[in-house]
């Protein structure tokens, strides 16, 4: 098992390296003069541009530039935001906690809803309940997360006043209250895919020979479904959940915008709008690492659940 | 003459229909069977003749939505109580399955749950039926593993099915089946998927275990050699019906039904003169339609006119030890 | 002559019997498309026409869905907004198919070093949310609906390539491929003329589902202000506008959200029906 984790860590490092190269080169790919874009596109003198070129080593070979940049990253110097003149790292660390909490809450809600739905619709395959669940998931799948967010905001926050309309509170505990609606919108977005996936995984697991054996042993239906069948169906379910969580990192930008939450998602959108490259680079790097870690966690969990994976 | 052991399982007039896209498949038609305590009954027949379906009915392992079952399945429990499995509730069935009657299946690789430790798969039967605690069940399981011939039993408890060879996997299944000392073991072609040498070992184990526990066995196979080796009595099935029943000795010495006779002729023998193998011409009939007359008539070498129109009735010998369903056979 | 007539209505009747939902979905979607295409004719007002005197009005006989914060008629904007919302996914999926199918074919057929490389790259791209990649790339290359569509299309290529590739790998094992090779057909010929037609069913299903996702993504980009720009209308952008005025006039938000949802539901239902139709386990009569 340990060997498996090490192997995965190694490939993560490789991918991280490749991704960092891409992120680094993205800024250089922007049309126009790099120094000018860094300067912010206002009126600049030749001297300013030269100063910028010296500071960012733009006259050196590309490999050197990358080396300098990478060294800075590892040492903790992630550059400074053009717009806000604050170190990028400071900006990120002050806001990442909120995004973390939002995504975790959304993920938990997603699992809490999709797991029973998937199991029930598999067990009651073909019945009225199954069809109702299928219709619900089709509708939810078609709903943009931000639309759900807005409806929730309209109904639960504005009209009914159960939850705050926007913003975030102070501290983690208060945030559970503030972040409930946004995490609900993000979580429900993942329910459809997951529930459908779990349903078909459970159905196909249930038709296998080992379930026949389990029945022939006289085990209770509860044990057969919740232990023998579920344990087999859970691997594809976890894999999809991991992908969903990764895609949440994408939709978090939108949800944070909708609910005016200052996490790294809304920071990213603002930075993109203002061409604030250091911030964009920094956040992208963070998200890359997060995605890789999520994938690692999913792989490890899968290996725990299905022993056959460990030998691959 | 010694008193024959009691019949602990009797199947009376069993019929099983499957619902399919374009009608019903009459997989099993009016089957009568019994097995005596401590004895081995073999069921032979070609693929699709209904032997698996019949035996699975004993534990009521159908897919209820698609199957219609009629008939009686009378079983005498350890307590002496006689019950009709066909009328039982799910809870009562679950009390019998794996406990009083156990079953092992054809392909051990797919019949074991790949993500659950093999020890747990055996222990859970003990925990459920004999109400043992986790540690006790584990100890008993390790004992069982040793009994069926799995070495390093304690270490093997925590391993997974894919870490075992085919023969070992089948032994695990046997351990699982025997855990609660059932009075009947149902075996659905347990050695078909194994190498010939492993087959012999597994069969030997089964025979030894039977001698130790005194359980009855119903053994499905299409291999007549296995029947000769293992079974006391034999039932021959064709197109969902029982066509002949006899003790193994009587069946091999003097088969009565043309189908049985043809089957025995197809067995190649060492030192045979002829170059070509014997076959039975034709195909078994489709079970979707009603069959008029004898089901075997189109392929029967002794077919008479009335075989095509009149279904043969069952003839039973005086002492009840032989049965045949044929117009031509003489009991 | 009578015989062919009966056949057509029979086919329709069976389609209805087996795929009721999908038939309804197709009709609804067709209606929406029709309305959008006809929008220059049937829209009561010019969608860009501002009427500052009548801002943020609710539903009225003059404006069936009311007006937005700049006095523009919501109904007209909703109708014209469909252009990008419907064409966009088509272009995105088109780009994805144009590059993804050949890549998948080659990758699956060669199965060697090239395949490995391509799949590695695809895996890396796929492990990141498309939304995110699109955001970042748009920041580099500029906003606007054209860039958004191209960039999104680019990021759909790995999904399609992967799916085609796995299909090709299955097909490669079939007997007819071996027969083709024995006759001496060249690899490209086999790939295009023989294997590709067998992949059509999976491609169609996947393409349909991708269109649903593409619509979501395009709307999301417009919602963030990175896709469609003023004064053009787009359902996603309308949703963003609607969000700002949701307290005073929720009609804009709700109506644009609902139309997005209905369109995606129809697309998904059609995709699911196609999937069920092409499923080899389905008994073909």
């Amino acid at each position: 098992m340990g060997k498996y984790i090490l192997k995965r860590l190694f490939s993560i490092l490789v991918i991280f390296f490749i991704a960092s190269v891409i992120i680094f080169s993205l800024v250089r790919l922007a049309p126009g003069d790099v120094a000018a874009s860094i300067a912010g596109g206002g009126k600049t003198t030749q001297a300013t541009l030269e100063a910028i070129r010296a500071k960012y080593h733009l006259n050196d070979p590309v490999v050197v530039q990358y080396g300098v940049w990478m060294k800075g990253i590892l040492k903790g110097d992630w550059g400074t935001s053009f717009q806000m003149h604050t170190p990028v790292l400071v900006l990120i660390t002050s806001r990442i906690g909120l995004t973390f909490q939002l995504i975790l809450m959304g993920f938990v809600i997603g699992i809490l809803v999709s797991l029973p739905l998937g199991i029930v619709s598999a067990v009651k395959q073909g019945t009225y309940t199954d069809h109702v669940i299928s219709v619900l998931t089709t509708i939810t799948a078609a709903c943009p997360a931000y639309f759900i967010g807005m409806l929730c905001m309209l109904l639960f926050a504005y009209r009914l006043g159960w939850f705050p309309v926007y913003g975030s509170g102070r501290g983690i505990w208060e945030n559970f209250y503030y972040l409930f609606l946004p995490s609900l919108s993000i979580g429900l977005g993942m329910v459809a895919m997951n529930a459908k996936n779990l349903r078909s995984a459970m159905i196909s697991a249930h038709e296998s020979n080992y379930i026949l054996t389990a029945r022939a042993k006289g085990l209770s239906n509860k044990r057969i479904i919740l232990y023998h069948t579920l344990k087999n169906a859970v691997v594809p379910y976890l894999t999809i959940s991991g992908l969903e969580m990764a895609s949440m990192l994408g939709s978090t930008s939108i949800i944070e915008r909708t609910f005016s939450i200052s996490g790294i998602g809304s920071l990213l959108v603002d930075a993109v709008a203002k061409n604030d490259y250091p911030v964009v680079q920094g956040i992208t790097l963070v998200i890359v690492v997060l995605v890789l870690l999520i994938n690692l966690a999913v792989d490890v969990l899968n290996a725990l659940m299905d022993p056959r994976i460990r030998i691959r | 003459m010694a008193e024959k052991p009691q019949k602990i399982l009797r199947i009376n007039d069993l019929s099983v229909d499957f619902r399919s896209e374009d009608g019903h498949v009459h997989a099993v038609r009016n089957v009568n069977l019994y097995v005596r305590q401590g004895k081995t009954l073999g069921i032979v027949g070609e693929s699709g003749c209904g032997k698996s379906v019949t035996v699975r009915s004993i534990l009521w392992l159908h897919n209820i939505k698609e199957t219609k079952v009629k008939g009686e399945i009378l079983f005498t429990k350890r307590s002496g109580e006689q019950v009709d499995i066909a009328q039982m509730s799910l809870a009562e069935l679950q009390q019998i399955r794996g406990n009083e009657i156990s079953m092992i299946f054809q392909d051990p690789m797919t019949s074991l749950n790949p993500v659950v430790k093999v020890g747990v798969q055996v222990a859970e039967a003990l925990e459920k039926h004999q109400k043992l605690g986790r540690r006790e069940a584990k100890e008993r399981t390790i004992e069982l593993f040793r009994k069926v011939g799995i070495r390093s039993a304690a270490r093997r408890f925590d391993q997974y099915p894919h870490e075992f060879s085919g023969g070992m996997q089948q032994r695990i299944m046997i351990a699982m089946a025997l855990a609660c000392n059932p009075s009947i073991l149902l075996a659905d072609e347990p050695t078909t998927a194994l190498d010939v040498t492993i087959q012999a070992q597994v069969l030997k184990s089964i025979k030894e275990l039977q001698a130790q526990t005194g359980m009855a066995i119903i053994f499905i196979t299409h291999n007549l050699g296995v029947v000769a080796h293992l079974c006391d009595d034999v039932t021959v099935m064709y197109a969902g019906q029982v066509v002949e029943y006899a003790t193994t000795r009587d069946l091999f010495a003097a088969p009565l039904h043309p189908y049985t006779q043809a089957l025995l002729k197809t067995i190649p023998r060492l030192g045979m003169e002829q170059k070509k193998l014997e076959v039975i011409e034709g195909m078994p009939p489709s079970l979707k339609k009603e069959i008029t007359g004898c089901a075997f008539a189109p392929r029967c070498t002794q077919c008479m006119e009335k075989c095509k129109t009149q279904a043969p009735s069952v003839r039973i010998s005086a002492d009840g030890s032989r049965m045949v369903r044929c117009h031509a056979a003489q009991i | 002559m009578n015989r062919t007539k009966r056949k057509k209505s029979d086919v329709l009747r069976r389609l209805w019997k087996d795929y009721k939902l999908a038939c309804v979905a197709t009709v609804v979607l067709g209606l929406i498309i029709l309305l959008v295409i006809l929008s220059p004719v049937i829209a009561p007002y010019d969608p860009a026409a501002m009427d500052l005197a009548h801002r943020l009005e609710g539903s009225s006989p003059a404006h069936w869905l009311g007006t937005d914060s700049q006095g523009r008629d919501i109904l007209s904007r909703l109708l014209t907004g469909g252009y990008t919302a419907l064409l966009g996914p088509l272009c995105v999926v088109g780009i994805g198919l144009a590059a993804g199918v050949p890549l998948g074919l080659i990758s699956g057929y060669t199965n060697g070093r090239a395949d490995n490389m391509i799949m590695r790259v695809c895996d890396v791209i796929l492990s990141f949310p498309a939304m995110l990649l699109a955001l970042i790339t748009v920041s580099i290359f500029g906003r606007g609906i054209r860039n958004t569509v191209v960039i999104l299309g680019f990021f759909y290529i790995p999904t399609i390539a992967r799916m085609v590739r796995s299909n090709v790998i299955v097909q490669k094992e079939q007997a007819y491929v071996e027969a083709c090779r024995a006759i001496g057909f060249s690899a490209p010929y086999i790939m295009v003329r023989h294997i590709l037609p067998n992949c059509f069913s999976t491609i169609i299903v996947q393409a349909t589902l991708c269109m649903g996702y593409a619509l979501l993504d395009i709307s999301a980009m417009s919602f963030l202000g990175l896709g469609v720009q003023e004064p053009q209308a787009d359902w996603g952008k309308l949703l963003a506008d609607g969000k700002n005025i949701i307290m005073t006039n929720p009609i804009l938000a709700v109506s644009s959200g609902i139309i997005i949802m209905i369109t995606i539901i129809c697309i998904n239902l059609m995709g699911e029906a196609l999937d069920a139709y092409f499923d080899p386990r389905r008994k073909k009569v």
Side-chain angles (χ1 to χ4, degrees):
Chain A
M1 187 67 193
K3 237 194 300 184
Y4 181 72
I5 299 184
L6 277 176
K7 261 201 310 186
R8 293 290 295 114
L9 273 175
F10 178 69
S11 65
I12 284 183
L13 279 173
V14 170
I15 298 183
F16 176 71
F17 173 69
I18 299 175
S20 68
V21 169
I22 297 177
I23 294 174
F24 167 79
S25 19
L26 273 181
V27 179
R28 271 69 182 166
L29 282 175
D33 180 27
V34 184
S37 352
I38 296 181
K43 274 236 189 86
T44 45
T45 61
Q46 196 58 13
T48 329
L49 288 177
E50 278 307 317
I52 293 178
R53 289 208 185 92
K55 177 167 175 218
Y56 287 94
H57 303 263
L58 292 174
N59 292 324
D60 295 342
V62 184
V63 188
V64 174
Q65 292 185 40
Y66 175 74
V68 169
W69 179 71
M70 203 56 197
K71 219 167 41 147
I73 298 286
L74 292 174
K75 274 208 292 203
D77 173 19
W78 287 35
T80 315
S81 155
F82 294 157
Q83 293 299 318
M84 289 175 256
H85 304 293
T86 347
V88 170
L89 204 52
V90 168
L91 278 175
I92 293 182
T93 43
S94 66
R95 305 176 122 193
I96 198 170
L98 218 50
T99 308
F100 250 5
Q101 192 170 359
L102 175 62
I103 291 187
L104 276 174
M105 281 172 69
F107 186 69
V108 166
I109 291 180
I111 299 257
L112 282 178
V113 175
S114 60
L115 196 63
L117 275 183
I119 297 179
V120 167
S121 58
V123 169
K124 305 233 179 205
Q125 184 192 5
T127 61
Y128 185 61
T129 322
D130 185 20
H131 284 132
V132 166
I133 295 182
S134 168
V135 166
L136 281 178
T137 47
T138 310
I139 295 183
T140 331
C143 229
Y146 46 97
F147 185 51
I148 300 181
M150 290 199 307
L151 287 179
C152 285
M153 190 160 69
L154 185 62
L155 186 61
F156 297 115
Y158 188 58
R159 288 278 157 84
L160 293 175
W162 289 352
F163 291 97
V165 174
Y166 58 82
S168 49
R170 299 166 300 274
I172 299 185
W173 296 107
E174 214 176 277
N175 277 335
F176 275 122
Y177 180 55
Y178 275 87
L179 293 179
F180 182 73
L181 283 182
S183 50
L184 188 68
S185 345
I186 245 186
L188 285 182
M190 105 183 215
V191 165
M193 195 81 188
N194 274 27
K196 274 203 190 356
N197 182 282
L198 184 60
R199 174 184 182 275
S200 60
M202 294 263 308
I203 290 179
S204 93
H206 202 73
E207 286 167 4
S208 39
N209 287 340
Y210 52 83
I211 295 297
L212 187 61
T213 310
R215 288 171 66 202
K217 268 195 289 197
L219 300 176
S220 68
N221 273 347
K222 200 166 77 155
R223 171 113 180 136
I224 293 179
I225 294 174
L226 293 181
Y227 184 69
H228 286 272
T229 319
L230 190 56
K231 215 165 181 225
N232 278 279
V234 96
V235 168
Y237 176 73
L238 280 178
T239 312
I240 292 248
S241 301
L243 282 173
E244 293 283 334
M245 199 174 186
S247 95
M248 267 192 213
L249 284 168
S251 48
T252 187
S253 325
I254 307 178
I255 294 290
E256 288 180 17
R257 252 299 187 79
T258 313
F259 285 88
S260 310
I261 299 172
S262 22
I264 56 176
S266 54
L267 182 62
L268 180 63
V269 177
D270 289 337
V272 162
K274 298 181 196 142
N275 289 335
D276 193 349
Y277 294 127
V279 177
V280 173
Q281 272 182 332
I283 297 185
T284 313
L285 217 55
V286 168
I287 295 189
V288 162
V289 171
L290 282 176
V291 168
L292 290 173
L293 285 177
I294 292 175
N295 285 342
L296 176 67
V298 166
D299 284 340
V300 168
L301 267 175
N302 276 349
L304 275 175
M305 291 279 125
D306 186 346
R308 296 170 291 182
I309 295 181
R310 297 178 211 167
I311 43 179
R312 289 201 206 131
Chain B
M1 197 167 63
E3 166 119 0
K4 280 214 209 125
Q6 184 204 16
K7 294 182 188 173
I8 53 170
L9 182 77
R10 264 182 308 179
I11 300 181
N12 292 336
D13 213 28
L14 181 71
S15 291
V16 180
D17 283 349
F18 292 124
R19 196 164 10 121
S20 72
E21 278 277 314
D22 35 352
H24 288 266
V25 176
H26 307 289
V28 175
R29 305 181 290 140
N30 306 104
V31 163
N32 287 288
L33 276 185
Y34 63 83
V35 69
R36 296 186 190 276
Q37 203 158 22
K39 296 285 181 186
T40 308
L41 171 69
I43 305 185
V44 291
E46 36 192 297
S47 307
C49 71
K51 42 193 208 289
S52 267
V53 179
T54 307
V55 171
R56 283 189 197 183
S57 308
I58 298 177
L59 282 181
W60 216 251
L61 286 173
H62 330 283
N63 184 344
I64 317 164
K65 276 187 248 176
E66 300 168 354
T67 329
K68 223 179 356 173
V69 185
K70 276 191 295 213
E72 278 184 321
I73 303 178
L74 302 171
F75 170 60
T76 311
K77 291 167 70 163
R78 278 189 212 113
S79 56
E81 183 196 345
Q82 199 191 58
V83 289
D84 181 6
I85 294 181
Q87 303 295 327
M88 281 180 137
S89 69
L90 183 61
E92 292 170 326
L93 276 172
Q94 285 173 345
Q95 192 264 321
I96 293 207
R97 291 174 182 165
N99 189 8
E100 309 232 12
I101 305 179
S102 289
M103 189 157 179
I104 58 179
F105 298 92
Q106 184 171 343
D107 182 9
M109 182 75 232
T110 55
S111 299
L112 288 170
N113 194 331
V115 301
V116 176
K117 294 184 187 162
V118 296
V120 171
Q121 297 190 47
V122 177
E124 62 182 348
L126 290 168
E127 287 177 32
K128 162 136 199 192
H129 294 299
Q130 299 193 341
K131 308 284 192 288
L132 295 183
R134 179 137 329 155
R135 193 177 310 155
E136 267 192 276
K138 181 167 176 173
E139 283 166 14
R140 274 274 296 156
T141 306
I142 297 179
E143 256 182 67
L144 274 164
F145 276 0
R146 291 204 187 103
K147 206 157 98 165
V148 299
I150 299 176
R151 285 194 278 266
S152 318
R155 186 173 59 93
R156 298 291 229 169
F157 183 93
D158 290 314
Q159 290 186 330
Y160 291 90
H162 65 266
E163 301 181 75
F164 292 81
S165 69
M168 282 292 159
Q169 288 167 353
Q170 199 54 287
R171 288 176 197 273
I172 295 172
M173 296 267 328
I174 294 173
M176 207 190 306
L178 297 182
C180 303
N181 288 320
S183 33
I184 308 182
L185 173 68
L186 308 173
D188 189 349
E189 304 202 49
T191 53
T192 309
L194 304 172
D195 296 335
V196 176
T197 39
I198 308 291
Q199 254 187 52
Q201 286 175 15
V202 173
L203 287 176
K204 181 158 165 264
S205 296
I206 294 181
K207 229 179 156 169
E208 283 168 0
L209 290 163
Q210 184 186 29
Q212 285 172 25
T213 57
M215 64 185 174
I217 303 182
I218 300 185
F219 202 101
I220 299 180
T221 178
H222 57 260
N223 185 334
L224 290 164
V226 167
V227 170
H229 185 74
L230 200 64
C231 304
D232 301 307
D233 306 292
V234 190
T235 302
V236 180
M237 284 186 71
Y238 185 79
Q241 289 178 313
V242 173
V243 296
E244 185 162 1
Y245 170 84
T247 63
T248 312
R249 176 164 300 172
D250 288 343
L251 193 90
F252 278 87
L256 291 177
H257 195 279
Y259 178 59
T260 322
Q261 294 167 353
L263 271 181
L264 287 169
K265 271 217 279 271
T266 63
I267 303 177
R269 257 167 271 264
L270 219 51
M272 264 175 16
E273 282 296 323
Q274 64 199 104
K275 302 271 172 42
K276 233 166 74 155
L277 289 172
E278 287 276 346
V279 297
I280 309 180
E281 297 290 337
M283 296 282 297
S286 157
L287 296 173
K288 289 194 186 146
K289 302 179 275 215
E290 286 296 328
I291 301 177
T292 40
C294 173
F296 190 58
R299 307 164 81 183
C300 183
T301 47
Q302 301 166 42
C303 179
M304 307 180 284
E305 262 317 301
K306 73 164 160 178
C307 298
K308 295 192 196 150
T309 49
Q310 213 183 355
S313 53
V314 170
R315 295 197 201 143
I316 308 186
S317 67
D319 61 358
S321 68
R322 288 207 77 159
M323 165 274 209
V324 71
R325 187 192 294 264
C326 180
H327 288 299
Q330 303 291 331
I331 269 212
Chain C
M1 204 137 60
N2 267 336
R3 205 175 283 172
T4 38
K5 252 199 177 169
R6 213 199 301 156
K7 241 179 144 191
K8 242 194 219 166
S9 65
D10 257 0
V11 168
L12 282 176
R13 203 169 296 140
R14 171 152 322 120
L15 268 178
W16 175 251
K17 184 166 90 103
D18 292 336
Y19 302 107
K20 284 200 191 52
L21 272 179
C23 289
V24 171
T26 322
V27 169
V28 170
L29 191 62
L31 219 74
I32 294 179
I33 295 179
L34 196 63
L35 284 175
V36 170
I37 293 181
L38 290 178
S39 62
V41 175
I42 60 174
Y45 296 84
D46 175 7
M50 294 195 273
D51 185 2
L52 296 170
H54 295 276
R55 290 181 357 191
L56 292 178
E57 279 183 9
S59 166
S60 69
H63 299 274
W64 287 1
L65 288 178
T67 57
D68 69 357
S69 58
Q70 290 172 300
R72 298 177 287 200
D73 177 41
I74 291 180
L75 180 61
S76 313
R77 283 183 72 77
L78 206 59
L79 284 171
T80 39
Y83 260 127
T84 41
L86 292 176
L87 272 182
L90 272 174
C91 295
V92 168
V93 174
I95 295 177
L97 287 176
V101 169
L103 266 179
L105 268 177
I106 297 174
S107 196
Y109 195 77
T110 27
N111 224 341
R113 206 95 69 83
D115 172 37
N116 252 326
M117 277 283 308
I118 297 180
M119 275 305 114
R120 269 302 151 77
V121 172
C122 282
D123 279 343
V124 171
I125 298 183
L126 276 178
S127 57
F128 298 101
M131 226 13 269
L132 189 70
L133 298 173
L135 262 184
I136 301 163
T137 327
V138 161
S139 86
I140 309 295
F141 292 104
R143 328 176 209 171
I145 188 69
R146 208 160 44 119
N147 278 358
T148 311
V149 166
V150 169
I151 288 168
L152 275 177
F154 181 74
F155 289 122
Y156 273 63
I157 295 176
T159 320
I160 297 182
R162 243 231 204 121
M163 184 260 318
V164 171
R165 172 184 178 268
S166 51
N167 218 329
V168 169
I169 289 183
V170 165
Q171 294 293 328
K172 226 173 54 139
E173 304 300 316
Q174 304 281 339
Y176 74 88
V177 173
E178 206 178 325
C180 283
R181 273 207 280 250
I183 301 181
F185 289 152
S186 68
Y189 183 76
I190 301 180
M191 282 195 276
V192 176
R193 192 70 178 70
H194 288 271
I195 297 188
L196 183 57
N198 281 300
C199 300
F200 272 163
S201 50
T202 348
I203 294 181
I204 291 180
V205 174
Q206 187 77 1
T208 317
L209 292 175
C210 277
M211 279 207 246
Y213 289 127
L215 180 51
L216 273 175
D217 286 339
I218 291 179
S219 314
M221 293 292 280
S222 302
F223 182 81
L224 288 175
L226 297 169
V228 172
Q229 303 293 310
E230 286 283 355
Q232 225 185 332
D234 169 74
W235 290 341
K237 186 163 179 314
L238 289 176
L239 202 49
D241 294 340
K243 163 184 167 286
N244 293 332
I245 57 173
I246 198 166
M247 307 305 178
T248 41
N249 193 0
I251 293 183
L252 180 57
V254 172
S255 55
S256 41
I258 288 187
I259 193 91
I260 294 179
M261 268 182 65
I262 294 182
T263 313
I264 298 180
I265 291 180
C266 290
I267 296 179
N268 283 349
L269 282 176
M270 285 167 62
E272 279 177 17
L274 281 171
D275 194 20
Y277 179 73
F278 287 123
D279 187 0
R281 280 177 295 174
R282 185 185 76 101
K283 294 198 183 77
K284 292 199 164 85
V285 184

